[in-house]
Amino acid sequence: MINKTRKNMQRERRADRVRFKISQTATRPRLVFNKTNRYLTAQIIDDVKGVTLVYATTLSKDFPTHENSKKSKSAATQLGKLVAEKAKKAGVLQVVLDRSGMVYHGRIAAFADSAREGGLEF
């Protein structure tokens, strides 16, 4: 039997470990990707100042209309392009990817690849 609380605790530990290593590099802001049961969100955070520089979600009105759900792999690709476009306007070109303890495949990989194609370096 799968213990859901144990799985969540393990993911949170991985996220904290990765976030600690990422926060050591103060020169680059952190690109955080998060997925819920309905939507995908991404934000670029400056940990030194404690400020969110760029925020995008599949729920927002500026997200392009999508034929499938707002949590699919193709939606993650569109979100990566949108975040890269907003980051360029904000003057951010180099970031560090924070995957929140999740495995790098599927939606996270599609998001990261499209953000790289959009011009972000990480």
Side-chain angles (χ1 to χ4, degrees):
M1 188 158 113
I2 298 174
N3 189 352
K4 186 69 173 171
T5 57
R6 190 184 74 202
K7 280 182 70 174
N8 284 339
M9 285 176 35
Q10 289 172 341
R11 189 191 67 78
E12 289 173 1
R13 285 181 63 204
R14 281 193 308 270
D16 289 341
R17 184 172 57 236
V18 169
R19 202 163 287 137
F20 175 76
K21 291 177 185 176
I22 289 173
S23 65
Q24 299 299 318
T25 59
T27 57
R28 293 181 175 205
R30 189 166 44 107
L31 173 60
V32 181
F33 180 79
N34 191 19
K35 58 183 181 178
T36 66
N37 288 336
R38 288 186 175 187
Y39 306 108
L40 304 173
T41 60
Q43 55 185 348
I44 298 177
I45 300 171
D46 185 4
D47 287 325
V48 175
K49 297 178 185 174
V51 177
T52 299
L53 304 173
V54 175
Y55 176 76
T57 180
T58 56
L59 179 63
S60 65
K61 293 180 181 178
D62 59 348
F63 187 74
T65 57
H66 203 271
E67 66 277 355
N68 295 335
S69 68
K70 296 205 178 256
K71 61 179 183 175
S72 65
K73 198 181 217 184
S74 56
T77 303
Q78 293 292 329
L79 185 65
K81 291 177 185 175
L82 182 64
V83 167
E85 179 183 310
K86 286 186 175 184
K88 281 184 182 179
K89 289 181 184 176
V92 178
L93 296 178
Q94 293 182 339
V95 295
V96 178
L97 180 64
D98 181 4
R99 54 187 172 80
S100 302
M102 294 175 275
V103 180
Y104 184 84
H105 72 62
R107 289 178 273 182
I108 297 173
F111 168 77
D113 291 339
S114 66
R116 281 188 192 104
E117 289 174 6
L120 289 179
E121 295 177 19
F122 56 95

PDB file of all heavy atoms in Angstrom, residues 73-86:
ATOM      1  N   LYS A  73       1.125  18.374 -21.663  1.00  0.00           N
ATOM      2  CA  LYS A  73       2.510  18.608 -22.069  1.00  0.00           C
ATOM      3  C   LYS A  73       2.606  19.765 -23.059  1.00  0.00           C
ATOM      4  O   LYS A  73       3.536  20.582 -22.987  1.00  0.00           O
ATOM      5  CB  LYS A  73       3.054  17.328 -22.694  1.00  0.00           C
ATOM      6  CG  LYS A  73       4.526  17.240 -22.793  1.00  0.00           C
ATOM      7  CD  LYS A  73       4.877  15.917 -23.450  1.00  0.00           C
ATOM      8  CE  LYS A  73       6.094  15.323 -22.864  1.00  0.00           C
ATOM      9  NZ  LYS A  73       6.492  14.095 -23.549  1.00  0.00           N
ATOM     10  N   SER A  74       1.650  19.877 -23.956  1.00  0.00           N
ATOM     11  CA  SER A  74       1.682  20.990 -24.908  1.00  0.00           C
ATOM     12  C   SER A  74       1.384  22.319 -24.215  1.00  0.00           C
ATOM     13  O   SER A  74       1.891  23.364 -24.623  1.00  0.00           O
ATOM     14  CB  SER A  74       0.707  20.738 -26.053  1.00  0.00           C
ATOM     15  OG  SER A  74      -0.588  20.519 -25.570  1.00  0.00           O
ATOM     16  N   ALA A  75       0.571  22.293 -23.164  1.00  0.00           N
ATOM     17  CA  ALA A  75       0.343  23.515 -22.385  1.00  0.00           C
ATOM     18  C   ALA A  75       1.619  23.927 -21.667  1.00  0.00           C
ATOM     19  O   ALA A  75       1.914  25.122 -21.538  1.00  0.00           O
ATOM     20  CB  ALA A  75      -0.792  23.302 -21.392  1.00  0.00           C
ATOM     21  N   ALA A  76       2.398  22.960 -21.205  1.00  0.00           N
ATOM     22  CA  ALA A  76       3.679  23.262 -20.560  1.00  0.00           C
ATOM     23  C   ALA A  76       4.641  23.898 -21.556  1.00  0.00           C
ATOM     24  O   ALA A  76       5.400  24.806 -21.205  1.00  0.00           O
ATOM     25  CB  ALA A  76       4.277  21.993 -19.966  1.00  0.00           C
ATOM     26  N   THR A  77       4.589  23.436 -22.814  1.00  0.00           N
ATOM     27  CA  THR A  77       5.436  24.022 -23.847  1.00  0.00           C
ATOM     28  C   THR A  77       5.054  25.481 -24.090  1.00  0.00           C
ATOM     29  O   THR A  77       5.919  26.357 -24.176  1.00  0.00           O
ATOM     30  CB  THR A  77       5.298  23.216 -25.151  1.00  0.00           C
ATOM     31  OG1 THR A  77       5.630  21.856 -24.874  1.00  0.00           O
ATOM     32  CG2 THR A  77       6.210  23.752 -26.222  1.00  0.00           C
ATOM     33  N   GLN A  78       3.761  25.757 -24.180  1.00  0.00           N
ATOM     34  CA  GLN A  78       3.294  27.135 -24.370  1.00  0.00           C
ATOM     35  C   GLN A  78       3.664  28.010 -23.169  1.00  0.00           C
ATOM     36  O   GLN A  78       4.025  29.174 -23.328  1.00  0.00           O
ATOM     37  CB  GLN A  78       1.773  27.148 -24.575  1.00  0.00           C
ATOM     38  CG  GLN A  78       1.325  26.506 -25.855  1.00  0.00           C
ATOM     39  CD  GLN A  78       1.748  27.320 -27.066  1.00  0.00           C
ATOM     40  OE1 GLN A  78       1.858  28.535 -27.015  1.00  0.00           O
ATOM     41  NE2 GLN A  78       1.989  26.627 -28.162  1.00  0.00           N
ATOM     42  N   LEU A  79       3.567  27.445 -21.969  1.00  0.00           N
ATOM     43  CA  LEU A  79       3.907  28.201 -20.764  1.00  0.00           C
ATOM     44  C   LEU A  79       5.393  28.557 -20.735  1.00  0.00           C
ATOM     45  O   LEU A  79       5.761  29.659 -20.332  1.00  0.00           O
ATOM     46  CB  LEU A  79       3.524  27.404 -19.519  1.00  0.00           C
ATOM     47  CG  LEU A  79       3.705  28.109 -18.182  1.00  0.00           C
ATOM     48  CD1 LEU A  79       2.770  29.305 -18.092  1.00  0.00           C
ATOM     49  CD2 LEU A  79       3.458  27.150 -17.047  1.00  0.00           C
ATOM     50  N   GLY A  80       6.242  27.647 -21.198  1.00  0.00           N
ATOM     51  CA  GLY A  80       7.672  27.927 -21.260  1.00  0.00           C
ATOM     52  C   GLY A  80       7.988  29.081 -22.191  1.00  0.00           C
ATOM     53  O   GLY A  80       8.815  29.944 -21.890  1.00  0.00           O
ATOM     54  N   LYS A  81       7.311  29.112 -23.333  1.00  0.00           N
ATOM     55  CA  LYS A  81       7.503  30.223 -24.274  1.00  0.00           C
ATOM     56  C   LYS A  81       7.022  31.532 -23.674  1.00  0.00           C
ATOM     57  O   LYS A  81       7.647  32.579 -23.837  1.00  0.00           O
ATOM     58  CB  LYS A  81       6.753  29.936 -25.569  1.00  0.00           C
ATOM     59  CG  LYS A  81       7.348  28.794 -26.368  1.00  0.00           C
ATOM     60  CD  LYS A  81       6.518  28.508 -27.594  1.00  0.00           C
ATOM     61  CE  LYS A  81       7.046  27.284 -28.339  1.00  0.00           C
ATOM     62  NZ  LYS A  81       6.193  26.919 -29.471  1.00  0.00           N
ATOM     63  N   LEU A  82       5.885  31.490 -22.966  1.00  0.00           N
ATOM     64  CA  LEU A  82       5.324  32.703 -22.364  1.00  0.00           C
ATOM     65  C   LEU A  82       6.237  33.243 -21.269  1.00  0.00           C
ATOM     66  O   LEU A  82       6.479  34.458 -21.189  1.00  0.00           O
ATOM     67  CB  LEU A  82       3.933  32.398 -21.803  1.00  0.00           C
ATOM     68  CG  LEU A  82       3.172  33.552 -21.183  1.00  0.00           C
ATOM     69  CD1 LEU A  82       2.864  34.618 -22.232  1.00  0.00           C
ATOM     70  CD2 LEU A  82       1.890  33.048 -20.551  1.00  0.00           C
ATOM     71  N   VAL A  83       6.788  32.359 -20.447  1.00  0.00           N
ATOM     72  CA  VAL A  83       7.687  32.797 -19.376  1.00  0.00           C
ATOM     73  C   VAL A  83       8.964  33.385 -19.961  1.00  0.00           C
ATOM     74  O   VAL A  83       9.465  34.408 -19.487  1.00  0.00           O
ATOM     75  CB  VAL A  83       8.008  31.617 -18.428  1.00  0.00           C
ATOM     76  CG1 VAL A  83       9.164  31.940 -17.525  1.00  0.00           C
ATOM     77  CG2 VAL A  83       6.795  31.275 -17.610  1.00  0.00           C
ATOM     78  N   ALA A  84       9.496  32.765 -21.004  1.00  0.00           N
ATOM     79  CA  ALA A  84      10.716  33.281 -21.632  1.00  0.00           C
ATOM     80  C   ALA A  84      10.474  34.663 -22.233  1.00  0.00           C
ATOM     81  O   ALA A  84      11.325  35.554 -22.123  1.00  0.00           O
ATOM     82  CB  ALA A  84      11.192  32.310 -22.705  1.00  0.00           C
ATOM     83  N   GLU A  85       9.308  34.856 -22.820  1.00  0.00           N
ATOM     84  CA  GLU A  85       8.976  36.157 -23.405  1.00  0.00           C
ATOM     85  C   GLU A  85       8.855  37.227 -22.322  1.00  0.00           C
ATOM     86  O   GLU A  85       9.388  38.336 -22.457  1.00  0.00           O
ATOM     87  CB  GLU A  85       7.652  36.019 -24.164  1.00  0.00           C
ATOM     88  CG  GLU A  85       7.159  37.286 -24.812  1.00  0.00           C
ATOM     89  CD  GLU A  85       5.816  37.046 -25.479  1.00  0.00           C
ATOM     90  OE1 GLU A  85       5.693  36.069 -26.232  1.00  0.00           O
ATOM     91  OE2 GLU A  85       4.895  37.858 -25.236  1.00  0.00           O
ATOM     92  N   LYS A  86       8.179  36.902 -21.219  1.00  0.00           N
ATOM     93  CA  LYS A  86       8.045  37.859 -20.123  1.00  0.00           C
ATOM     94  C   LYS A  86       9.388  38.144 -19.451  1.00  0.00           C
ATOM     95  O   LYS A  86       9.642  39.268 -19.017  1.00  0.00           O
ATOM     96  CB  LYS A  86       7.050  37.337 -19.089  1.00  0.00           C
ATOM     97  CG  LYS A  86       5.611  37.421 -19.523  1.00  0.00           C
ATOM     98  CD  LYS A  86       4.698  37.012 -18.389  1.00  0.00           C
ATOM     99  CE  LYS A  86       3.246  37.194 -18.759  1.00  0.00           C
ATOM    100  NZ  LYS A  86       2.362  36.880 -17.617  1.00  0.00           N
TER     101      LYS A  86
END
